[in-house]
Amino acid sequence: MIAIFESEGQYHALDDFCPHQGASLSAGWIHDGCVACPWHAWRFALSDGTWMDNPKVKTDHFEVQLRDGEIFVAIPIL
Ligand code: FES
């Protein structure tokens, strides 16, 4: 599952699964360029998925493109 966020006219895509205990980040709230998890308020940067309390930890972040009014997310092939 991937969560898509819109903030200040920019779209961002992060893994929807919070790395703490698995809440859906799409149910969180956006503030100051971050999404806060709805369960325990861990905050992740929308720009690259960095956990704001420990920059060594990141959740997956995906490239987003807007083409002809549709949102495309680049998913890496494993
Ligand atoms: S489940 Fe997201 S901060 Fe705890």
Side-chain angles (χ1 to χ4, degrees):
M1 300 288 281
I2 295 175
I4 308 290
F5 303 96
E6 187 275 329
S7 175
E8 299 181 0
Q10 298 288 319
Y11 289 93
H12 306 275
L14 300 179
D15 187 340
D16 189 42
F17 187 83
C18 179
H20 180 220
Q21 292 185 350
S24 171
L25 292 178
S26 65
W29 62 94
I30 295 172
H31 178 72
D32 201 20
C34 299
V35 58
C37 178
W39 286 4
H40 311 104
W42 287 21
R43 296 176 307 126
F44 300 91
L46 295 174
S47 60
D48 65 0
T50 297
W51 178 26
M52 301 310 291
D53 292 331
N54 182 350
K56 293 179 183 172
V57 176
K58 290 186 177 190
T59 192
D60 287 336
H61 171 265
F62 306 96
E63 180 186 338
V64 175
Q65 291 183 1
L66 191 61
R67 287 189 237 144
D68 297 326
E70 294 189 61
I71 297 170
F72 291 82
V73 178
I75 309 291
I77 297 173
L78 301 177

